[in-house]
Amino acid sequence: MQPLFTDRLWKKVEPIWKSYLEHPFVKGLGEGWLDKEKFKHWMKQDYVYLIEYSRLFALGSAKANDLTTMTTFANLLHGTLHMEMDLHRNYASKFGITAQELEETEAAATTTAYTSYMLNVSQRGGVENTIAAVLACAWSYNYIGKALATWPNALEHEFYGNWVQMYSSDEFTALANDCIDLINAIAKDKPEHELALLEDIVVKTSYFEYMFWDMAEHQAMWPIPSTALV
């Protein structure tokens, strides 16, 4: 049986993704001691990230060459706008933050760089670029969620348990698997130089994922303060 493209990708991203589980933000989330102000910063930044991420799913649906791919992207868009963003809105309510305030969050430097990169490579290429751009986020969050779900009391934690439950859930796993299936299908019979480009997108977005965790841990915005961001 011919190896799947994601088997090749996994060999590249495995060391990067394993580092997520050692990152203090993710460890604190899984072990329950994460500072809530750091989580609040992540939640607000991830919300505006997900708005741009949703644009990618809409773009993928527009670029799709067949109805099956179009439908898959549409389902991913729906799942992100509702299931995933609902989690953020529910957490925001615990901090007294409205959905409108979430939406008006100023994007941090890392958030801006990450989403701009994904949108850029997606617009410059075909639907395969869009699939590669969205893969690391969905797949790695599911990877983290499933890993944390095995940690003692992570699923039952009074505050962070809902996070672990959602990203390890069957529903989110199905969304991640849709992304995996999409890239495996599109990679079939592609020449090596095209596969290498897709691989590079997945590796770079995996590095951006690490940078996003780091941004949340340090509650970073931009290197030099601006009165507009105060």
Side-chain angles (χ1 to χ4, degrees), residues 83-132:
M83 177 177 67
E84 194 168 2
M85 294 179 81
D86 274 351
L87 177 78
H88 293 60
R89 286 185 280 264
N90 289 336
Y91 270 118
S93 67
K94 296 179 182 180
F95 288 106
I97 301 170
T98 66
Q100 181 178 348
E101 288 172 323
L102 269 183
E103 191 173 337
E104 292 173 351
T105 297
E106 179 74 29
T110 298
T111 309
T112 302
Y114 188 3
T115 56
S116 296
Y117 172 75
M118 290 191 297
L119 288 164
N120 179 267
V121 296
S122 296
Q123 289 167 343
R124 285 194 289 114
V127 67
E128 66 276 3
N129 279 28
T130 310
I131 295 169

mmCIF file of all heavy atoms in Angstrom, residues 83-132:
data_model
loop_
_atom_site.group_PDB
_atom_site.id
_atom_site.type_symbol
_atom_site.label_atom_id
_atom_site.label_comp_id
_atom_site.label_asym_id
_atom_site.label_seq_id
_atom_site.Cartn_x
_atom_site.Cartn_y
_atom_site.Cartn_z
ATOM 1 N N MET A 83 -19.162 25.586 16.210
ATOM 2 C CA MET A 83 -18.641 24.769 17.301
ATOM 3 C C MET A 83 -17.399 25.385 17.952
ATOM 4 O O MET A 83 -17.366 25.583 19.171
ATOM 5 C CB MET A 83 -18.306 23.355 16.797
ATOM 6 C CG MET A 83 -17.693 22.452 17.866
ATOM 7 S SD MET A 83 -17.387 20.782 17.273
ATOM 8 C CE MET A 83 -16.104 21.070 16.053
ATOM 9 N N GLU A 84 -16.383 25.704 17.145
ATOM 10 C CA GLU A 84 -15.120 26.171 17.720
ATOM 11 C C GLU A 84 -15.241 27.586 18.283
ATOM 12 O O GLU A 84 -14.772 27.870 19.385
ATOM 13 C CB GLU A 84 -14.004 26.099 16.678
ATOM 14 C CG GLU A 84 -12.625 26.231 17.278
ATOM 15 C CD GLU A 84 -11.506 25.887 16.306
ATOM 16 O OE1 GLU A 84 -11.788 25.578 15.134
ATOM 17 O OE2 GLU A 84 -10.350 25.945 16.733
ATOM 18 N N MET A 85 -15.867 28.478 17.538
ATOM 19 C CA MET A 85 -15.983 29.856 18.012
ATOM 20 C C MET A 85 -16.984 29.985 19.152
ATOM 21 O O MET A 85 -16.883 30.897 19.978
ATOM 22 C CB MET A 85 -16.314 30.791 16.849
ATOM 23 C CG MET A 85 -15.166 30.879 15.845
ATOM 24 S SD MET A 85 -15.468 31.931 14.404
ATOM 25 C CE MET A 85 -15.142 33.557 15.094
ATOM 26 N N ASP A 86 -17.938 29.048 19.242
ATOM 27 C CA ASP A 86 -18.857 29.035 20.381
ATOM 28 C C ASP A 86 -18.095 28.767 21.676
ATOM 29 O O ASP A 86 -18.422 29.321 22.731
ATOM 30 C CB ASP A 86 -19.940 27.960 20.195
ATOM 31 C CG ASP A 86 -21.123 28.467 19.385
ATOM 32 O OD1 ASP A 86 -21.186 29.684 19.112
ATOM 33 O OD2 ASP A 86 -21.982 27.641 19.012
ATOM 34 N N LEU A 87 -17.073 27.897 21.613
ATOM 35 C CA LEU A 87 -16.248 27.625 22.789
ATOM 36 C C LEU A 87 -15.607 28.919 23.279
ATOM 37 O O LEU A 87 -15.605 29.212 24.483
ATOM 38 C CB LEU A 87 -15.163 26.596 22.451
ATOM 39 C CG LEU A 87 -14.180 26.290 23.590
ATOM 40 C CD1 LEU A 87 -14.821 25.350 24.602
ATOM 41 C CD2 LEU A 87 -12.898 25.663 23.047
ATOM 42 N N HIS A 88 -15.077 29.700 22.347
ATOM 43 C CA HIS A 88 -14.449 30.965 22.711
ATOM 44 C C HIS A 88 -15.468 31.938 23.296
ATOM 45 O O HIS A 88 -15.180 32.635 24.275
ATOM 46 C CB HIS A 88 -13.780 31.581 21.485
ATOM 47 C CG HIS A 88 -12.600 30.804 20.982
ATOM 48 N ND1 HIS A 88 -12.701 29.497 20.548
ATOM 49 C CD2 HIS A 88 -11.293 31.150 20.836
ATOM 50 C CE1 HIS A 88 -11.505 29.088 20.162
ATOM 51 N NE2 HIS A 88 -10.640 30.060 20.317
ATOM 52 N N ARG A 89 -16.651 31.996 22.690
ATOM 53 C CA ARG A 89 -17.676 32.910 23.197
ATOM 54 C C ARG A 89 -18.119 32.499 24.607
ATOM 55 O O ARG A 89 -18.377 33.364 25.462
ATOM 56 C CB ARG A 89 -18.867 32.953 22.236
ATOM 57 C CG ARG A 89 -18.574 33.740 20.950
ATOM 58 C CD ARG A 89 -19.794 33.879 20.075
ATOM 59 N NE ARG A 89 -20.072 32.689 19.288
ATOM 60 C CZ ARG A 89 -19.682 32.500 18.024
ATOM 61 N NH1 ARG A 89 -18.978 33.442 17.410
ATOM 62 N NH2 ARG A 89 -19.986 31.401 17.371
ATOM 63 N N ASN A 90 -18.206 31.201 24.854
ATOM 64 C CA ASN A 90 -18.585 30.717 26.182
ATOM 65 C C ASN A 90 -17.525 31.075 27.220
ATOM 66 O O ASN A 90 -17.850 31.492 28.339
ATOM 67 C CB ASN A 90 -18.814 29.204 26.160
ATOM 68 C CG ASN A 90 -20.075 28.814 25.416
ATOM 69 O OD1 ASN A 90 -21.000 29.621 25.288
ATOM 70 N ND2 ASN A 90 -20.127 27.596 24.908
ATOM 71 N N TYR A 91 -16.266 30.905 26.845
ATOM 72 C CA TYR A 91 -15.190 31.291 27.766
ATOM 73 C C TYR A 91 -15.176 32.806 27.968
ATOM 74 O O TYR A 91 -14.948 33.291 29.082
ATOM 75 C CB TYR A 91 -13.829 30.820 27.242
ATOM 76 C CG TYR A 91 -13.437 29.437 27.716
ATOM 77 C CD1 TYR A 91 -13.239 28.401 26.813
ATOM 78 C CD2 TYR A 91 -13.237 29.170 29.072
ATOM 79 C CE1 TYR A 91 -12.866 27.128 27.246
ATOM 80 C CE2 TYR A 91 -12.878 27.907 29.517
ATOM 81 C CZ TYR A 91 -12.687 26.890 28.605
ATOM 82 O OH TYR A 91 -12.321 25.642 29.041
ATOM 83 N N ALA A 92 -15.407 33.548 26.902
ATOM 84 C CA ALA A 92 -15.404 35.004 27.002
ATOM 85 C C ALA A 92 -16.449 35.486 27.999
ATOM 86 O O ALA A 92 -16.202 36.434 28.767
ATOM 87 C CB ALA A 92 -15.655 35.623 25.631
ATOM 88 N N SER A 93 -17.615 34.837 28.000
ATOM 89 C CA SER A 93 -18.683 35.240 28.920
ATOM 90 C C SER A 93 -18.255 35.082 30.374
ATOM 91 O O SER A 93 -18.692 35.837 31.244
ATOM 92 C CB SER A 93 -19.953 34.421 28.644
ATOM 93 O OG SER A 93 -19.762 33.057 28.979
ATOM 94 N N LYS A 94 -17.365 34.118 30.631
ATOM 95 C CA LYS A 94 -16.868 33.914 31.994
ATOM 96 C C LYS A 94 -15.948 35.059 32.417
ATOM 97 O O LYS A 94 -15.740 35.293 33.606
ATOM 98 C CB LYS A 94 -16.137 32.579 32.099
ATOM 99 C CG LYS A 94 -17.036 31.374 31.865
ATOM 100 C CD LYS A 94 -16.266 30.063 31.949
ATOM 101 C CE LYS A 94 -17.185 28.881 31.666
ATOM 102 N NZ LYS A 94 -16.467 27.575 31.744
ATOM 103 N N PHE A 95 -15.362 35.753 31.426
ATOM 104 C CA PHE A 95 -14.518 36.916 31.703
ATOM 105 C C PHE A 95 -15.292 38.228 31.575
ATOM 106 O O PHE A 95 -14.726 39.307 31.721
ATOM 107 C CB PHE A 95 -13.338 36.957 30.726
ATOM 108 C CG PHE A 95 -12.287 35.912 30.968
ATOM 109 C CD1 PHE A 95 -12.171 34.811 30.131
ATOM 110 C CD2 PHE A 95 -11.402 36.025 32.033
ATOM 111 C CE1 PHE A 95 -11.190 33.849 30.337
ATOM 112 C CE2 PHE A 95 -10.419 35.068 32.256
ATOM 113 C CZ PHE A 95 -10.308 33.981 31.406
ATOM 114 N N GLY A 96 -16.589 38.122 31.278
ATOM 115 C CA GLY A 96 -17.394 39.321 31.096
ATOM 116 C C GLY A 96 -17.126 40.027 29.780
ATOM 117 O O GLY A 96 -17.327 41.234 29.651
ATOM 118 N N ILE A 97 -16.668 39.269 28.764
ATOM 119 C CA ILE A 97 -16.357 39.821 27.444
ATOM 120 C C ILE A 97 -17.484 39.451 26.480
ATOM 121 O O ILE A 97 -17.853 38.272 26.383
ATOM 122 C CB ILE A 97 -15.018 39.273 26.920
ATOM 123 C CG1 ILE A 97 -13.880 39.633 27.881
ATOM 124 C CG2 ILE A 97 -14.707 39.806 25.526
ATOM 125 C CD1 ILE A 97 -12.572 38.931 27.564
ATOM 126 N N THR A 98 -18.012 40.425 25.757
ATOM 127 C CA THR A 98 -19.086 40.148 24.805
ATOM 128 C C THR A 98 -18.513 39.631 23.485
ATOM 129 O O THR A 98 -17.314 39.789 23.201
ATOM 130 C CB THR A 98 -19.903 41.415 24.517
ATOM 131 O OG1 THR A 98 -19.065 42.365 23.824
ATOM 132 C CG2 THR A 98 -20.433 42.039 25.807
ATOM 133 N N ALA A 99 -19.378 39.046 22.667
ATOM 134 C CA ALA A 99 -18.964 38.568 21.345
ATOM 135 C C ALA A 99 -18.456 39.724 20.492
ATOM 136 O O ALA A 99 -17.493 39.565 19.724
ATOM 137 C CB ALA A 99 -20.123 37.854 20.661
ATOM 138 N N GLN A 100 -19.082 40.897 20.624
ATOM 139 C CA GLN A 100 -18.649 42.064 19.857
ATOM 140 C C GLN A 100 -17.241 42.488 20.279
ATOM 141 O O GLN A 100 -16.401 42.830 19.437
ATOM 142 C CB GLN A 100 -19.614 43.226 20.054
ATOM 143 C CG GLN A 100 -19.224 44.469 19.247
ATOM 144 C CD GLN A 100 -20.214 45.617 19.413
ATOM 145 O OE1 GLN A 100 -21.302 45.433 19.943
ATOM 146 N NE2 GLN A 100 -19.839 46.804 18.968
ATOM 147 N N GLU A 101 -16.972 42.477 21.580
ATOM 148 C CA GLU A 101 -15.637 42.828 22.075
ATOM 149 C C GLU A 101 -14.597 41.835 21.577
ATOM 150 O O GLU A 101 -13.474 42.226 21.228
ATOM 151 C CB GLU A 101 -15.645 42.887 23.603
ATOM 152 C CG GLU A 101 -16.385 44.071 24.174
ATOM 153 C CD GLU A 101 -16.540 44.009 25.684
ATOM 154 O OE1 GLU A 101 -16.751 42.906 26.225
ATOM 155 O OE2 GLU A 101 -16.450 45.073 26.324
ATOM 156 N N LEU A 102 -14.961 40.572 21.533
ATOM 157 C CA LEU A 102 -14.055 39.555 20.992
ATOM 158 C C LEU A 102 -13.701 39.876 19.547
ATOM 159 O O LEU A 102 -12.531 39.850 19.156
ATOM 160 C CB LEU A 102 -14.716 38.175 21.041
ATOM 161 C CG LEU A 102 -14.517 37.285 22.265
ATOM 162 C CD1 LEU A 102 -15.213 35.950 22.032
ATOM 163 C CD2 LEU A 102 -13.051 37.073 22.569
ATOM 164 N N GLU A 103 -14.727 40.175 18.774
ATOM 165 C CA GLU A 103 -14.552 40.427 17.350
ATOM 166 C C GLU A 103 -13.710 41.672 17.095
ATOM 167 O O GLU A 103 -13.027 41.764 16.065
ATOM 168 C CB GLU A 103 -15.920 40.569 16.683
ATOM 169 C CG GLU A 103 -15.879 40.560 15.173
ATOM 170 C CD GLU A 103 -17.277 40.540 14.556
ATOM 171 O OE1 GLU A 103 -18.228 40.110 15.247
ATOM 172 O OE2 GLU A 103 -17.406 40.951 13.397
ATOM 173 N N GLU A 104 -13.740 42.616 18.029
ATOM 174 C CA GLU A 104 -13.018 43.872 17.859
ATOM 175 C C GLU A 104 -11.604 43.819 18.437
ATOM 176 O O GLU A 104 -10.900 44.830 18.475
ATOM 177 C CB GLU A 104 -13.810 45.011 18.524
ATOM 178 C CG GLU A 104 -15.125 45.315 17.800
ATOM 179 C CD GLU A 104 -15.993 46.308 18.545
ATOM 180 O OE1 GLU A 104 -15.666 46.642 19.720
ATOM 181 O OE2 GLU A 104 -17.027 46.738 17.978
ATOM 182 N N THR A 105 -11.173 42.647 18.857
ATOM 183 C CA THR A 105 -9.819 42.479 19.399
ATOM 184 C C THR A 105 -8.774 42.892 18.364
ATOM 185 O O THR A 105 -8.875 42.524 17.192
ATOM 186 C CB THR A 105 -9.582 41.008 19.798
ATOM 187 O OG1 THR A 105 -10.495 40.644 20.841
ATOM 188 C CG2 THR A 105 -8.152 40.791 20.275
ATOM 189 N N GLU A 106 -7.778 43.645 18.802
ATOM 190 C CA GLU A 106 -6.659 44.019 17.938
ATOM 191 C C GLU A 106 -5.748 42.806 17.769
ATOM 192 O O GLU A 106 -5.293 42.222 18.753
ATOM 193 C CB GLU A 106 -5.872 45.177 18.564
ATOM 194 C CG GLU A 106 -4.676 45.622 17.769
ATOM 195 C CD GLU A 106 -5.033 46.405 16.520
ATOM 196 O OE1 GLU A 106 -6.085 47.070 16.535
ATOM 197 O OE2 GLU A 106 -4.263 46.344 15.543
ATOM 198 N N ALA A 107 -5.496 42.408 16.540
ATOM 199 C CA ALA A 107 -4.655 41.244 16.285
ATOM 200 C C ALA A 107 -3.211 41.533 16.674
ATOM 201 O O ALA A 107 -2.658 42.581 16.337
ATOM 202 C CB ALA A 107 -4.735 40.847 14.817
ATOM 203 N N ALA A 108 -2.587 40.594 17.387
ATOM 204 C CA ALA A 108 -1.184 40.713 17.768
ATOM 205 C C ALA A 108 -0.300 40.489 16.543
ATOM 206 O O ALA A 108 -0.763 40.049 15.484
ATOM 207 C CB ALA A 108 -0.851 39.696 18.854
ATOM 208 N N ALA A 109 0.988 40.769 16.696
ATOM 209 C CA ALA A 109 1.930 40.613 15.587
ATOM 210 C C ALA A 109 1.944 39.171 15.074
ATOM 211 O O ALA A 109 1.905 38.935 13.857
ATOM 212 C CB ALA A 109 3.329 41.030 16.033
ATOM 213 N N THR A 110 1.999 38.215 15.976
ATOM 214 C CA THR A 110 2.030 36.808 15.571
ATOM 215 C C THR A 110 0.749 36.412 14.862
ATOM 216 O O THR A 110 0.780 35.710 13.844
ATOM 217 C CB THR A 110 2.268 35.905 16.795
ATOM 218 O OG1 THR A 110 3.550 36.218 17.368
ATOM 219 C CG2 THR A 110 2.242 34.431 16.405
ATOM 220 N N THR A 111 -0.379 36.843 15.392
ATOM 221 C CA THR A 111 -1.670 36.544 14.773
ATOM 222 C C THR A 111 -1.729 37.121 13.362
ATOM 223 O O THR A 111 -2.159 36.449 12.414
ATOM 224 C CB THR A 111 -2.816 37.138 15.615
ATOM 225 O OG1 THR A 111 -2.656 36.739 16.980
ATOM 226 C CG2 THR A 111 -4.171 36.684 15.102
ATOM 227 N N THR A 112 -1.285 38.353 13.218
ATOM 228 C CA THR A 112 -1.284 39.017 11.909
ATOM 229 C C THR A 112 -0.370 38.303 10.928
ATOM 230 O O THR A 112 -0.744 38.054 9.770
ATOM 231 C CB THR A 112 -0.841 40.484 12.059
ATOM 232 O OG1 THR A 112 -1.714 41.154 12.968
ATOM 233 C CG2 THR A 112 -0.861 41.200 10.721
ATOM 234 N N ALA A 113 0.824 37.942 11.386
ATOM 235 C CA ALA A 113 1.789 37.268 10.515
ATOM 236 C C ALA A 113 1.278 35.901 10.083
ATOM 237 O O ALA A 113 1.374 35.528 8.902
ATOM 238 C CB ALA A 113 3.130 37.129 11.226
ATOM 239 N N TYR A 114 0.734 35.158 11.007
ATOM 240 C CA TYR A 114 0.255 33.809 10.724
ATOM 241 C C TYR A 114 -0.901 33.828 9.725
ATOM 242 O O TYR A 114 -0.872 33.136 8.702
ATOM 243 C CB TYR A 114 -0.151 33.148 12.041
ATOM 244 C CG TYR A 114 -0.501 31.676 11.976
ATOM 245 C CD1 TYR A 114 -0.399 30.922 10.800
ATOM 246 C CD2 TYR A 114 -0.942 31.007 13.125
ATOM 247 C CE1 TYR A 114 -0.720 29.573 10.764
ATOM 248 C CE2 TYR A 114 -1.259 29.658 13.104
ATOM 249 C CZ TYR A 114 -1.161 28.954 11.927
ATOM 250 O OH TYR A 114 -1.494 27.605 11.910
ATOM 251 N N THR A 115 -1.911 34.613 10.011
ATOM 252 C CA THR A 115 -3.082 34.644 9.125
ATOM 253 C C THR A 115 -2.720 35.237 7.758
ATOM 254 O O THR A 115 -3.229 34.784 6.730
ATOM 255 C CB THR A 115 -4.245 35.441 9.747
ATOM 256 O OG1 THR A 115 -3.814 36.761 10.072
ATOM 257 C CG2 THR A 115 -4.751 34.755 11.012
ATOM 258 N N SER A 116 -1.843 36.227 7.754
ATOM 259 C CA SER A 116 -1.429 36.823 6.476
ATOM 260 C C SER A 116 -0.685 35.804 5.629
ATOM 261 O O SER A 116 -0.872 35.759 4.400
ATOM 262 C CB SER A 116 -0.542 38.045 6.727
ATOM 263 O OG SER A 116 -1.252 39.062 7.396
ATOM 264 N N TYR A 117 0.159 34.999 6.260
ATOM 265 C CA TYR A 117 0.888 33.968 5.523
ATOM 266 C C TYR A 117 -0.087 32.962 4.901
ATOM 267 O O TYR A 117 0.015 32.632 3.716
ATOM 268 C CB TYR A 117 1.868 33.236 6.448
ATOM 269 C CG TYR A 117 2.498 32.034 5.785
ATOM 270 C CD1 TYR A 117 3.501 32.188 4.832
ATOM 271 C CD2 TYR A 117 2.059 30.738 6.082
ATOM 272 C CE1 TYR A 117 4.062 31.078 4.195
ATOM 273 C CE2 TYR A 117 2.611 29.630 5.451
ATOM 274 C CZ TYR A 117 3.613 29.816 4.510
ATOM 275 O OH TYR A 117 4.156 28.718 3.873
ATOM 276 N N MET A 118 -1.036 32.483 5.687
ATOM 277 C CA MET A 118 -1.991 31.491 5.183
ATOM 278 C C MET A 118 -2.813 32.037 4.017
ATOM 279 O O MET A 118 -3.004 31.352 3.000
ATOM 280 C CB MET A 118 -2.925 31.018 6.302
ATOM 281 C CG MET A 118 -2.256 30.169 7.358
ATOM 282 S SD MET A 118 -3.446 29.383 8.475
ATOM 283 C CE MET A 118 -4.189 30.810 9.232
ATOM 284 N N LEU A 119 -3.294 33.252 4.175
ATOM 285 C CA LEU A 119 -4.102 33.855 3.112
ATOM 286 C C LEU A 119 -3.269 34.113 1.863
ATOM 287 O O LEU A 119 -3.740 33.922 0.741
ATOM 288 C CB LEU A 119 -4.741 35.151 3.612
ATOM 289 C CG LEU A 119 -5.889 34.971 4.615
ATOM 290 C CD1 LEU A 119 -6.190 36.272 5.338
ATOM 291 C CD2 LEU A 119 -7.139 34.448 3.919
ATOM 292 N N ASN A 120 -2.013 34.496 2.063
ATOM 293 C CA ASN A 120 -1.144 34.781 0.927
ATOM 294 C C ASN A 120 -0.873 33.532 0.097
ATOM 295 O O ASN A 120 -1.047 33.540 -1.128
ATOM 296 C CB ASN A 120 0.164 35.396 1.419
ATOM 297 C CG ASN A 120 1.136 35.689 0.296
ATOM 298 O OD1 ASN A 120 1.988 34.870 -0.038
ATOM 299 N ND2 ASN A 120 1.023 36.856 -0.299
ATOM 300 N N VAL A 121 -0.454 32.443 0.757
ATOM 301 C CA VAL A 121 -0.131 31.235 -0.009
ATOM 302 C C VAL A 121 -1.383 30.622 -0.629
ATOM 303 O O VAL A 121 -1.332 30.015 -1.704
ATOM 304 C CB VAL A 121 0.617 30.177 0.843
ATOM 305 C CG1 VAL A 121 1.961 30.705 1.288
ATOM 306 C CG2 VAL A 121 -0.211 29.711 2.031
ATOM 307 N N SER A 122 -2.529 30.817 0.031
ATOM 308 C CA SER A 122 -3.776 30.273 -0.500
ATOM 309 C C SER A 122 -4.221 31.028 -1.745
ATOM 310 O O SER A 122 -4.696 30.434 -2.720
ATOM 311 C CB SER A 122 -4.873 30.325 0.559
ATOM 312 O OG SER A 122 -4.551 29.496 1.663
ATOM 313 N N GLN A 123 -4.073 32.326 -1.728
ATOM 314 C CA GLN A 123 -4.488 33.135 -2.871
ATOM 315 C C GLN A 123 -3.538 32.971 -4.052
ATOM 316 O O GLN A 123 -3.951 33.094 -5.204
ATOM 317 C CB GLN A 123 -4.577 34.611 -2.444
ATOM 318 C CG GLN A 123 -5.760 34.880 -1.519
ATOM 319 C CD GLN A 123 -5.683 36.232 -0.832
ATOM 320 O OE1 GLN A 123 -4.635 36.851 -0.778
ATOM 321 N NE2 GLN A 123 -6.807 36.681 -0.286
ATOM 322 N N ARG A 124 -2.264 32.673 -3.781
ATOM 323 C CA ARG A 124 -1.280 32.545 -4.847
ATOM 324 C C ARG A 124 -1.336 31.187 -5.556
ATOM 325 O O ARG A 124 -0.798 31.038 -6.643
ATOM 326 C CB ARG A 124 0.139 32.760 -4.298
ATOM 327 C CG ARG A 124 0.457 34.210 -3.996
ATOM 328 C CD ARG A 124 1.942 34.435 -3.792
ATOM 329 N NE ARG A 124 2.421 33.868 -2.541
ATOM 330 C CZ ARG A 124 3.274 32.853 -2.463
ATOM 331 N NH1 ARG A 124 3.718 32.269 -3.551
ATOM 332 N NH2 ARG A 124 3.684 32.418 -1.294
ATOM 333 N N GLY A 125 -1.978 30.205 -4.930
ATOM 334 C CA GLY A 125 -2.024 28.873 -5.518
ATOM 335 C C GLY A 125 -3.425 28.367 -5.705
ATOM 336 O O GLY A 125 -4.412 29.093 -5.520
ATOM 337 N N GLY A 126 -3.522 27.097 -6.057
ATOM 338 C CA GLY A 126 -4.815 26.463 -6.231
ATOM 339 C C GLY A 126 -5.389 25.981 -4.915
ATOM 340 O O GLY A 126 -4.874 26.311 -3.830
ATOM 341 N N VAL A 127 -6.421 25.167 -5.001
ATOM 342 C CA VAL A 127 -7.091 24.688 -3.798
ATOM 343 C C VAL A 127 -6.146 23.876 -2.919
ATOM 344 O O VAL A 127 -6.288 23.842 -1.692
ATOM 345 C CB VAL A 127 -8.345 23.852 -4.181
ATOM 346 C CG1 VAL A 127 -7.950 22.554 -4.884
ATOM 347 C CG2 VAL A 127 -9.205 23.576 -2.952
ATOM 348 N N GLU A 128 -5.111 23.261 -3.530
ATOM 349 C CA GLU A 128 -4.171 22.458 -2.743
ATOM 350 C C GLU A 128 -3.400 23.315 -1.738
ATOM 351 O O GLU A 128 -3.088 22.868 -0.630
ATOM 352 C CB GLU A 128 -3.204 21.699 -3.660
ATOM 353 C CG GLU A 128 -2.252 22.556 -4.468
ATOM 354 C CD GLU A 128 -2.874 23.073 -5.761
ATOM 355 O OE1 GLU A 128 -4.073 22.803 -6.005
ATOM 356 O OE2 GLU A 128 -2.145 23.734 -6.523
ATOM 357 N N ASN A 129 -3.111 24.570 -2.102
ATOM 358 C CA ASN A 129 -2.428 25.466 -1.168
ATOM 359 C C ASN A 129 -3.311 25.795 0.028
ATOM 360 O O ASN A 129 -2.837 25.880 1.163
ATOM 361 C CB ASN A 129 -2.033 26.765 -1.870
ATOM 362 C CG ASN A 129 -0.758 26.637 -2.681
ATOM 363 O OD1 ASN A 129 -0.428 25.551 -3.157
ATOM 364 N ND2 ASN A 129 -0.046 27.733 -2.870
ATOM 365 N N THR A 130 -4.590 25.977 -0.238
ATOM 366 C CA THR A 130 -5.526 26.277 0.843
ATOM 367 C C THR A 130 -5.645 25.094 1.791
ATOM 368 O O THR A 130 -5.663 25.261 3.017
ATOM 369 C CB THR A 130 -6.907 26.651 0.277
ATOM 370 O OG1 THR A 130 -6.759 27.651 -0.734
ATOM 371 C CG2 THR A 130 -7.818 27.179 1.371
ATOM 372 N N ILE A 131 -5.709 23.906 1.241
ATOM 373 C CA ILE A 131 -5.785 22.705 2.076
ATOM 374 C C ILE A 131 -4.548 22.593 2.962
ATOM 375 O O ILE A 131 -4.645 22.327 4.163
ATOM 376 C CB ILE A 131 -5.935 21.441 1.195
ATOM 377 C CG1 ILE A 131 -7.264 21.477 0.441
ATOM 378 C CG2 ILE A 131 -5.840 20.181 2.039
ATOM 379 C CD1 ILE A 131 -7.389 20.424 -0.653
ATOM 380 N N ALA A 132 -3.380 22.823 2.372
ATOM 381 C CA ALA A 132 -2.142 22.758 3.142
ATOM 382 C C ALA A 132 -2.098 23.828 4.227
ATOM 383 O O ALA A 132 -1.613 23.597 5.341
ATOM 384 C CB ALA A 132 -0.941 22.902 2.202
#
